[in-house]
Amino acid sequence: MDYDAMDGLEDIGPRVTVRQALRDRADFTLENIDLSFANSLRRTLLAEVPTMAIDLVEVQVNTSSLADEFIAHRLGLIPLNSKNVDDVSYTRDCEYCEQYCEHCSVTLDLHARCTGDEIMKVYARDLVVAEPRPNEWVGTPVITDSLGLGSVICKLRQNQEVRMKCIAKKGIAKEHAKWAPTSAVGFEYDPHNRLKHLDYWYEEDPEKEWPKSGNAEWEEAPQDGEPFDYSAQPSKYYFDVESVGNLEPDAVVLQGIKVLQQKLALVIQELSGDDRNGDVDGFGGTRSPDGMHGGDYGMDQGYTTPFGNTGGQTMYGGGTTPFGATPYG
């Protein structure tokens, strides 16, 4: 089967222009690509780049004023270093355990007790990473403030204590926002609205009521009375990727492109009729640890659904919906 390249772009090729690169932010432009691909990359950066986050919390002692579930939720939202996260296996794919182990998780211990009269704050820095772990980076709490404290977990009064064992696992934001690698992904094209994809609502003057963004300086403004080109297509896109700190912004983009490659490889594999048990070039695809692709929920108590422990099963039974069977069985 032949796959035609995008019209007019096969001889030019994509082009990337980095406008600003910071520790937690990358501002760049993509040119000579299709709108659908640019939007796919945006969606992938938001929801399908794998990271590490605390997913299981074993509460041993908690005499604080906050409920166990409240603290567990706050722990899950603390960003953890996810450098070289490919070294970590998904729990559902781990060959060494049924729930968690050093190959598919990172253990962090939290123990704090207030012995003074003043209120004591418990910070992310108080999380102690236990060894061994898949590599020397994954699982370390991300601390960016000048005092080196990190996020506040809870507050303790005199004689109050918290002691918890936290299990961090690999996942994607499509399953839960705690695995999100980005806090925001800015995306814009055609800042002058030359293509008329936007219909501005205005009272008197749209130019004054809808000021142009800074990206408009990177393109030539349309001339007054310029005829509309009905065949014009966008070819330049402006990205502003802001990382939460678990991955550097350039690593987020590279991982997003890798995920897209895996997805496209699976599509081509299905179209060509080549069946390798869903593993394309050894990638295996990027998925969340909930087993939504047929994993075994019973293998991991952290991802058990209220509908039973038969992986891939919904409340309607098996791979079915109220409208009948799905293409996934």
Side-chain angles (χ1 to χ4, degrees):
M1 182 179 295
D2 296 330
Y3 300 93
D4 296 331
M6 291 182 290
D7 294 340
L9 300 182
E10 61 272 13
D11 297 329
I12 302 175
R15 183 171 63 181
V16 180
T17 301
V18 179
R19 301 190 296 181
Q20 186 180 34
L22 303 176
R23 184 181 64 178
D24 58 353
R25 181 169 172 246
D27 190 330
F28 61 94
T29 65
L30 274 179
E31 298 182 59
N32 304 325
I33 61 174
D34 189 74
L35 175 59
S36 60
F37 175 81
N39 189 50
S40 297
L41 178 59
R42 177 190 68 86
R43 291 169 62 92
T44 302
L45 297 180
L46 285 170
E48 299 194 54
V49 173
T51 62
M52 297 292 293
I54 293 175
D55 194 50
L56 296 177
V57 178
E58 299 177 3
V59 181
Q60 299 167 349
V61 177
N62 178 24
T63 57
S64 70
S65 59
L66 298 181
D68 296 349
E69 296 82 2
F70 198 101
I71 297 180
H73 182 265
R74 294 182 64 85
L75 288 169
L77 296 179
I78 295 176
L80 303 180
N81 194 325
S82 301
K83 184 177 180 180
N84 292 351
V85 73
D86 290 339
D87 295 340
V88 184
S89 302
Y90 285 102
T91 299
R92 64 178 179 277
D93 297 330
C94 187
E95 302 176 352
Y96 303 94
C97 69
E98 294 185 355
Q99 187 174 7
Y100 61 84
C101 67
E102 62 191 65
H103 301 281
C104 63
S105 66
V106 175
T107 301
L108 300 95
D109 295 316
L110 175 64
H111 184 202
R113 179 182 174 86
C114 180
T115 57
D117 296 332
E118 297 183 357
I119 293 177
M120 171 185 174
K121 293 183 179 180
V122 182
Y123 294 95
R125 70 172 182 181
D126 298 316
L127 287 167
V128 179
V129 182
E131 300 291 346
R133 50 178 167 167
N135 62 48
E136 59 182 307
W137 301 287
V138 293
T140 304
V142 176
I143 299 175
T144 58
D145 59 288
S146 58
L147 298 178
L149 301 175
S151 306
V152 176
I153 299 174
C154 65
K155 298 180 181 179
L156 302 177
R157 300 189 68 176
Q158 188 173 20
N159 296 326
Q160 289 184 338
E161 179 184 6
V162 290
R163 182 184 300 145
M164 301 180 179
K165 180 180 180 181
C166 309
I167 309 300
K169 296 186 178 184
K170 179 179 175 180
I172 60 176
K174 181 181 285 187
E175 168 65 16
H176 195 285
K178 64 186 176 185
W179 280 296
T182 58
S183 55
V185 176
F187 177 74
E188 185 182 18
Y189 68 93
D190 189 24
H192 292 287
N193 198 27
R194 189 192 300 264
L195 302 175
K196 305 300 181 184
H197 285 186
L198 294 178
D199 186 11
Y200 294 120
W201 181 92
Y202 63 93
E203 293 181 345
E204 296 179 359
D205 187 356
E207 295 296 328
K208 295 181 179 179
E209 298 174 25
W210 295 91
K212 299 291 189 296
S213 69
N215 296 324
E217 301 176 0
W218 288 69
E219 292 189 14
E220 183 180 353
Q223 302 297 323
D224 293 337
E226 178 180 313
F228 181 74
D229 185 359
Y230 289 91
S231 62
Q233 295 290 334
S235 62
K236 188 172 185 178
Y237 310 90
Y238 303 90
F239 283 83
D240 190 353
V241 179
E242 183 178 348
S243 170
V244 299
N246 45 18
L247 285 173
E248 296 180 351
D250 58 337
V252 174
V253 177
L254 291 176
Q255 283 282 358
I257 294 175
K258 179 180 178 180
V259 171
L260 275 180
Q261 288 176 328
Q262 295 170 3
K263 286 179 170 290
L264 291 173
L266 287 172
V267 172
I268 295 176
Q269 173 183 309
E270 291 296 326
L271 292 175
S272 61
D274 184 14
D275 185 10
R276 281 184 253 173
N277 296 324
D279 189 2
V280 180
D281 295 333
F283 287 114
T286 300
R287 297 165 290 176
S288 66
D290 67 347
M292 65 172 130
H293 289 266
D296 188 351
Y297 284 109
M299 297 279 290
D300 188 345
Q301 298 176 6
Y303 308 120
T304 302
T305 71
F307 308 118
N309 296 329
T310 56
Q313 184 173 358
T314 68
M315 64 183 295
Y316 308 106
T320 62
T321 70
F323 309 104
T326 68
Y328 308 104

